[in-house]
Amino acid sequence: MRNERQVELRWQPRRVVVDGPHGPVDSVVYPGIALTRRQYGQAVGERWLPVGEAEPTVADDEALVAALHAAWRWSISAA
């Protein structure tokens, strides 16, 4: 039986709208990576990991490695 669990990574900046007293006044874009868990083609979970503005930091790298490790363990647990 083939494994129907997949892990998908993609670069996905997030935009946050800053509200003022009379509605939106500005927006800020944060760089990050989306980690999506799929089972039988359907998304069953997603985690977004921010990365440093200029370049990823050591803490960013460690958070991504931990998230990948957990996701890949999840993906092979159905094998």
Side-chain angles (χ1 to χ4, degrees):
M1 176 177 213
R2 80 175 204 207
N3 187 346
E4 294 296 338
R5 290 184 178 185
Q6 299 174 339
V7 176
E8 174 184 280
L9 286 176
R10 69 185 175 285
W11 180 253
Q12 183 178 341
R14 295 237 167 137
R15 181 176 301 277
V16 176
V17 176
V18 179
D19 286 330
H22 304 292
V25 294
D26 199 4
S27 64
V28 179
V29 177
Y30 293 99
I33 297 171
L35 188 150
T36 305
R37 296 177 187 201
R38 295 187 177 277
Q39 191 163 13
Y40 300 103
Q42 299 295 315
V44 295
E46 183 172 284
R47 181 171 179 195
W48 184 79
L49 301 159
V51 298
E53 294 279 334
E55 62 184 51
T57 64
V58 171
D60 294 335
D61 292 346
E62 289 175 356
L64 179 58
V65 168
L68 283 171
H69 185 258
W72 284 328
R73 285 184 35 186
W74 170 83
S75 71
I76 63 171
S77 67

